[in-house]
Amino acid sequence: MGAGQIIVFNTKMAKVEATLAGFPGVTGLLYIPELHQLYAGVTRQHQIAVIDTQRLREVARIPAGHFPDGMAYVPGTHELYVSDEMGGEETVIDVVKNTRVASIPAGGEVGNTCYDPNSHLVLVCGQAKNELIAIDPQTRKVVNRYPIHGGKHPHGLFLDANSHLAFIGCDGDEKL
């Protein structure tokens, strides 16, 4: 994050393949294999960088709110949902055209984002109101809000789709 670099590591050869520079404040990364593209939140420039992983070159920059962080890909709509942590919204990006197509207000600071293949919803940690927010990617509207009890300021989110469980890391009190 501080170096503004993305390091490409070859796990088969156990070595660094490349170091890509020019991504100040880089946070969340999401690789979409079928597109051969890596998406990176460039927080200091308020953008998402799109990197072609076959050529290891940046192909686009997309405005993504104040502090683009967590990302989730929705295969059915070919859209990327990006949590704008400080801006309190979800930014929606068309990954075919590499353009911002919508912003969905979340009602306050948000944490990470995941796509649930079972419910076909995008789930977002609502840090400001201590909740899990459900968005329907077909309508791009918030369809439910689930209060989180026993934790404060939910940020981290991991879905175990097979077990139908969401694991939420709360950084306000270090609880899961």
Side-chain angles (χ1 to χ4, degrees):
M1 185 173 176
Q5 298 175 330
I6 296 172
I7 300 170
V8 181
F9 187 79
N10 183 324
T11 57
K12 290 181 182 175
M13 302 294 290
K15 68 175 191 166
V16 173
E17 290 285 330
T19 300
L20 309 176
F23 306 97
V26 66
T27 57
L29 297 174
L30 182 68
Y31 173 60
I32 302 176
E34 62 266 27
L35 301 176
H36 302 286
Q37 291 186 337
L38 175 72
Y39 295 83
V42 185
T43 61
R44 292 194 192 129
Q45 294 177 342
H46 319 293
Q47 299 171 325
I48 293 294
V50 184
I51 299 156
D52 177 324
T53 59
Q54 293 178 320
R55 296 180 300 153
L56 294 180
R57 285 197 189 140
E58 184 177 321
V59 295
R61 288 275 179 127
I62 305 158
H66 181 71
F67 193 94
D69 193 13
M71 290 176 263
Y73 176 60
V74 180
T77 61
H78 304 289
E79 292 177 335
L80 183 69
Y81 278 67
V82 182
S83 59
D84 177 5
E85 186 172 358
M86 303 304 177
E89 63 184 20
E90 279 292 301
T91 298
V92 184
I93 294 171
D94 177 326
V95 298
V96 176
K97 297 177 182 174
N98 284 331
T99 57
R100 181 181 179 149
V101 293
S103 295
I104 303 166
E109 192 175 289
V110 292
N112 286 327
T113 300
C114 286
Y115 173 69
D116 179 12
N118 294 314
S119 67
H120 304 284
L121 296 173
V122 174
L123 301 174
V124 184
C125 286
Q127 295 177 155
K129 296 183 179 177
N130 232 45
E131 62 189 358
L132 186 64
I133 302 166
I135 298 171
D136 181 344
Q138 297 301 319
T139 62
R140 297 187 190 134
K141 298 206 181 296
V142 172
V143 294
N144 215 333
R145 294 175 181 269
Y146 304 96
I148 295 173
H149 304 288
K152 293 179 183 169
H153 206 257
H155 182 81
L157 178 60
F158 175 79
L159 294 181
D160 181 349
N162 292 331
S163 300
H164 302 279
L165 294 172
F167 294 89
I168 301 168
C170 298
D171 62 12
D173 57 4
E174 299 176 0
K175 291 186 178 179
L176 179 65

